[in-house]
């Protein structure tokens, strides 16, 4: 490993440990609303550990998903929201809320998660089906299919919002901004963690196949890679990770888009370093934003993490974009 | 080593083939013809990076579609005109040629050295000139292919200055002398005359003639192929690189 790449990964790893440690120290008292900055007692430690692990898993998973999509679609603007998975999950949640309202029931959190996961998977399957040309996913067709499925799902969400009372709309909006749950579903968290680690290891082991996609399909085929199969694996892996993430914490904007770009700046474009770097950058962004929101009180409870990741990620992305423009102009 | 049988492909209104041809082993063969004759498509089909609609390609007597990908990569390296890899360093790009063949840093270093890119090995491919980028992709192909394999190159010297073009032809001639085979497409007819052993004449998707360069590169055939008059040059008529006027100077 070259020295700058190693240094970049080490810096990211130290920062990641730092923000996770900060999250274990910081919290807001649910009764008094005061911020506490001290090691949690046994009664709160489980909550903080759960939130820290959930934030770490969400950030790393969304970032890996973004890195895989950017490699598969050869598009620097690709992100988990591009596949229509988040919108599909939103429609799933809205269908559950509407169904529960129609049956005069209250939708349990577990049911909402199930709705989100099923909606996300359905959107993924439709996009993969529509994006296929010649037996394999085509980057441009897949992006177009993702945009169309996402727009249709958004239209469905707006339609259903008109059919439920205002209170349920508020519950949907809170979900739609994305959050790190204090009490994450243990099963879903384990599934997301296992899938994230598995895909991270796979990306490191088969990083050359991801790099090969950067050569274009003709050259990639000539060096012995199978671009169609690699692209399919990337899309399915990224889609499953995103589906688990939106089911656990709702959609979280910018993490999957920005984290791979930050990692690219620090550890270079080769996927053996880029994917772990992106996972660490995503972890830092989400856990950092979750720690930050504990300190912000607008009088209406804690901000959703998605608001902070967007407020932080948006400017970071614009700065990166400006740098790229300046570099391209020489 | 390579044979095409009834090879056809249709791309919109354009149809290539049917083409039946044998590629002579241990020779440099140039495919020449006007724009849109199908040179790039033919090279892609023969290298196995594009699927034919009909017919087949035999590599070492085996149908190319049934040759395992790693073996195909080892026996036949292809460099197209539009190759990516801009975000990676030259060294990473060249090393990717060994993706399915196992790491071989010696081959990678030798290929970079042979293409005169030693000082650029750590630079991003996108930061290089067009000619340097093309040489980086040629280095990838050289690191990939067996010494007795096949190099399929689409206009390998189109972006190169005369000095580097001669360097590439000398390298390809050394490759052929070592038991390899080279198939290139090109528009530079004086260079084709200087370096090619065989020539394939392609026109509107049909292979008009295939044979020795010394026989086929005559003004009458070229006039028929391109629709303009050709005349033989003599030293002093044109400011051509001297090696082109010395016959097979790349030998």
């Amino acid at each position: 490993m070259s020295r700058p790449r190693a240094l970049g990964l080490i810096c990211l790893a130290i920062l990641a440990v730092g923000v996770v440690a900060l999250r274990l120290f910081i919290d807001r008292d649910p009764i008094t609303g005061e911020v506490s900055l001290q090691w949690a007692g046994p009664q709160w430690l489980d909550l903080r550990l759960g939130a820290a692990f959930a934030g770490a898993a969400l950030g790393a998973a969304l970032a890996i998903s973004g890195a895989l999509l950017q490699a598969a679609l050869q598009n620097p603007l690709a992100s988990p929201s591009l596949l229509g998975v988040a919108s599909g999950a939103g429609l799933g949640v809205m269908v559950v809320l509407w169904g529960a309202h129609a049956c005069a029931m209250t939708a349990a959190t577990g049911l909402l998660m199930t709705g989100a996961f099923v909606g996300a998977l359905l959107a993924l399957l439709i996009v993969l089906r529509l994006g296929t040309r010649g037996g394999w996913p085509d980057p441009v067709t897949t992006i177009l299919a993702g945009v169309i499925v996402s727009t249709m799902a958004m239209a469905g969400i707006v339609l259903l919002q008109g059919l439920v009372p205002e209170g349920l709309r508020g519950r949907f909006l809170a979900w739609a901004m994305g959050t790190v749950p204090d009490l994450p579903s243990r099963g879903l968290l384990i599934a997301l963690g296992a899938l994230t680690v598995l895909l991270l290891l796979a990306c490191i082991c088969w990083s050359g196949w991801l790099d090969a996609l950067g050569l274009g399909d003709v050259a990639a085929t000539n060096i012995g890679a199978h671009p169609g199969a690699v692209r399919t694996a990337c899309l399915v892996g990224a889609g499953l990770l995103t589906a688990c993430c939106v089911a656990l914490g709702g959609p979280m904007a910018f993490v999957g888009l920005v984290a791979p770009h930050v990692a690219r700046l620090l550890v270079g474009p080769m996927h053996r370093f880029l994917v772990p770097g992106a996972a660490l950058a995503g972890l830092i962004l989400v856990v950092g934003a979750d720690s930050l929101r504990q300190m912000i009180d607008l009088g209406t409870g804690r901000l959703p993490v998605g608001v902070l990741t967007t407020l932080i990620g948006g400017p970071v992305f614009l700065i990166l974009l400006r740098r790229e423009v300046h570099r391209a102009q020489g | 080593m390579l044979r095409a049988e009834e090879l056809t492909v249709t791309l919109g209104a354009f149809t290539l083939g049917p083409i039946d041809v044998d590629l002579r082993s241990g020779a440099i063969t140039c495919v020449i013809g006007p724009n849109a004759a199908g040179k790039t498509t033919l090279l892609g089909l023969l290298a196995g990076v594009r699927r034919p609609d009909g017919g087949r390609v035999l590599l070492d007597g085996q149908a190319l579609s049934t040759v395992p990908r790693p073996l195909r990569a080892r026996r036949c390296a292809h460099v197209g005109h539009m190759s990516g890899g801009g975000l990676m360093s030259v060294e990473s790009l060249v090393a990717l040629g060994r993706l399915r063949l196992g790491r071989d840093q010696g081959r990678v270093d030798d290929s970079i050295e042979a293409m005169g890119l030693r000082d650029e090995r750590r630079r991003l491919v996108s930061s290089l000139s067009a000619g340097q980028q093309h040489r980086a992709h040629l280095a990838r192909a050289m690191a990939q292919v067996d010494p007795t394999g096949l190099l399929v190159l689409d206009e390998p010297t189109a972006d190169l200055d005369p000095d580097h073009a001669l360097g590439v032809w000398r390298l390809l001639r050394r490759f052929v002398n070592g038991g390899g085979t080279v198939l290139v497409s090109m528009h530079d007819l004086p260079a084709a005359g200087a370096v090619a052993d065989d020539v394939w004449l392609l026109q509107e998707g049909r292979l008009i003639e295939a044979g020795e360069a010394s026989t086929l590169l005559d003004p009458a055939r070229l006039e028929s192929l391109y629709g303009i008059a050709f005349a033989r040059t003599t030293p002093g008529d044109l400011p051509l690189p001297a090696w082109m006027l010395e016959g097979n100077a790349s030998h």
Side-chain angles (χ1 to χ4, degrees):
Chain A
M1 192 190 300
S2 71
R3 194 173 292 173
R5 285 171 181 168
L7 200 62
L9 271 184
I10 290 169
C11 287
L12 284 170
I14 290 171
L15 258 176
V17 171
V19 292
V20 170
L22 178 68
R23 183 63 189 91
L24 292 178
F25 273 92
I26 199 167
D27 212 341
R28 180 179 288 277
D29 191 302
I31 299 159
T32 64
E34 285 182 7
V35 178
S36 68
L37 191 59
Q38 58 187 9
W39 187 249
Q43 73 273 31
W44 297 116
L45 188 59
D46 273 357
L47 277 181
R48 292 191 192 179
L49 274 174
F53 278 121
L58 283 168
L62 286 170
I64 292 172
S65 175
L68 284 174
L69 289 172
Q70 287 172 15
L73 303 174
Q74 285 300 296
N75 187 327
L77 293 177
S79 73
S81 59
L82 195 73
L83 277 183
V85 174
S87 304
L91 184 60
V93 167
M94 206 58 224
V95 167
V96 169
L97 285 173
W98 172 71
H101 168 68
C103 299
M105 291 165 54
T106 303
T109 305
L111 202 58
L112 289 183
M113 284 182 178
T114 308
F117 192 71
V118 171
L121 281 188
L122 280 176
L124 174 66
L125 287 174
I126 293 169
V127 170
L128 285 178
R129 182 73 190 85
L130 293 177
T132 299
R133 275 176 73 179
W136 300 104
D138 171 67
V140 175
T141 318
T142 301
I143 290 171
L144 284 175
V147 169
I148 290 166
V149 167
S150 184
T151 309
M152 288 174 67
M154 289 305 293
I157 290 169
V158 173
L159 179 73
L160 288 175
Q161 278 185 333
L163 300 175
V164 297
E166 200 165 318
L168 287 182
R169 267 179 249 161
R171 195 172 172 195
F172 174 79
L173 278 178
W175 175 88
M177 281 314 297
T179 194
V180 175
D182 289 327
L183 286 168
S185 153
R186 189 175 288 267
L188 196 53
L189 185 57
I190 289 172
L192 177 62
L195 190 60
T196 304
V197 171
L198 201 68
L199 278 173
L200 179 63
L201 293 176
C203 287
I204 293 170
C205 288
W206 288 292
S207 58
W209 293 73
L210 296 174
D211 297 332
L213 291 177
L215 296 178
D217 284 9
V218 168
T221 303
N222 183 244
I223 62 172
H226 195 315
V230 177
R231 193 169 287 123
T232 305
C234 287
L235 292 174
V236 170
L240 286 175
L241 275 180
T242 310
C244 288
C245 287
V246 287
L248 187 67
M252 222 172 278
F254 277 106
V255 179
L257 178 64
V258 171
H261 284 284
V262 171
R264 207 168 277 122
L265 277 177
L266 291 172
V267 300
M270 306 309 282
H271 288 86
R272 189 175 172 196
F273 310 108
L274 173 65
V275 178
L280 288 170
L283 181 157
I284 291 163
L285 183 57
V286 173
V287 179
D290 190 34
S291 303
L292 190 61
R293 80 180 179 126
Q294 311 299 328
M295 294 185 263
I296 300 173
D297 184 9
L298 300 178
T300 53
R302 285 174 296 185
L303 281 170
V305 175
V307 173
L308 286 172
T309 57
T310 305
L311 288 175
I312 298 168
V316 168
F317 184 71
L318 286 176
I319 291 167
L320 293 177
L321 196 65
R322 291 296 301 166
R323 278 181 58 125
E324 279 300 308
V325 170
H326 281 302
R327 204 170 66 171
Q329 287 173 342
Chain B
M1 83 175 305
L2 194 81
R3 177 176 168 72
E5 292 179 347
E6 296 288 316
L7 201 59
T8 59
V9 72
T10 300
L11 304 164
F14 173 78
T15 298
L16 178 82
I19 285 176
D20 288 271
V21 71
D22 269 312
L23 180 69
R24 181 150 67 101
S25 295
I28 295 178
T29 299
C30 285
V31 183
I32 62 169
N35 289 141
K39 300 184 294 296
T40 297
T41 306
L42 177 61
L43 261 53
L45 289 171
L46 294 176
V49 295
R50 185 187 276 277
R51 281 188 183 177
D53 292 336
R56 61 178 188 165
V57 177
L58 298 174
L59 178 66
D60 299 328
Q62 187 180 354
L64 190 58
S65 56
T66 65
V67 177
R69 282 171 188 265
L71 180 60
R72 206 191 303 177
R74 187 189 297 279
R75 296 295 297 155
C76 172
H78 169 270
V79 178
H81 210 51
M82 298 282 284
S83 297
L87 284 177
M88 54 188 81
S89 68
V90 170
E91 186 172 6
S92 300
L93 170 68
V94 177
L96 264 184
R98 307 289 308 170
L99 177 71
R100 304 295 302 277
L101 311 174
R103 277 178 66 94
D104 188 338
Q105 193 59 41
R107 288 284 301 271
V108 171
D109 292 341
D110 290 347
S111 302
I112 290 173
E113 185 78 32
M115 284 297 158
L117 291 168
R118 187 175 48 187
D119 294 338
E120 285 79 23
R121 64 186 301 151
R122 304 247 182 259
R123 285 179 59 187
L124 288 186
V125 173
S126 59
S127 72
L128 303 177
S129 71
Q132 287 173 319
Q133 288 188 26
H134 203 75
R135 279 190 279 142
H137 284 281
L138 287 173
R140 186 270 295 165
M142 295 299 295
Q144 173 185 334
V145 74
D146 273 349
T148 58
L150 166 66
L151 280 172
V152 179
L153 311 173
D154 195 0
E155 299 189 45
T157 54
D159 294 316
L160 303 188
D161 61 52
D163 179 26
H164 282 111
L166 176 59
V168 167
W169 289 124
R170 282 189 171 148
L171 190 76
L172 294 179
R173 180 56 66 185
R174 275 205 300 276
F175 178 70
V176 164
N177 290 343
T181 303
V182 174
L183 175 65
V184 297
S185 71
M186 56 199 297
H187 286 293
D188 187 345
L189 298 179
V195 301
D197 300 307
D198 285 355
V199 166
W200 295 355
L201 307 182
L202 203 64
Q203 189 179 46
E204 294 176 356
R206 289 173 300 118
L207 188 62
I208 305 295
E209 256 182 303
E212 289 192 7
S214 55
T215 308
L216 297 191
L217 286 178
D218 75 306
R221 281 191 172 86
L222 294 177
E223 190 171 331
S224 161
L225 189 66
Y226 289 97
I228 57 169
F230 282 81
R232 289 195 181 277
T233 57
T234 54
D237 283 348
L238 279 173
L240 295 174
W243 61 269
M244 286 189 186
L245 303 172
E246 292 163 4
N248 274 338
S250 64
H251 278 264

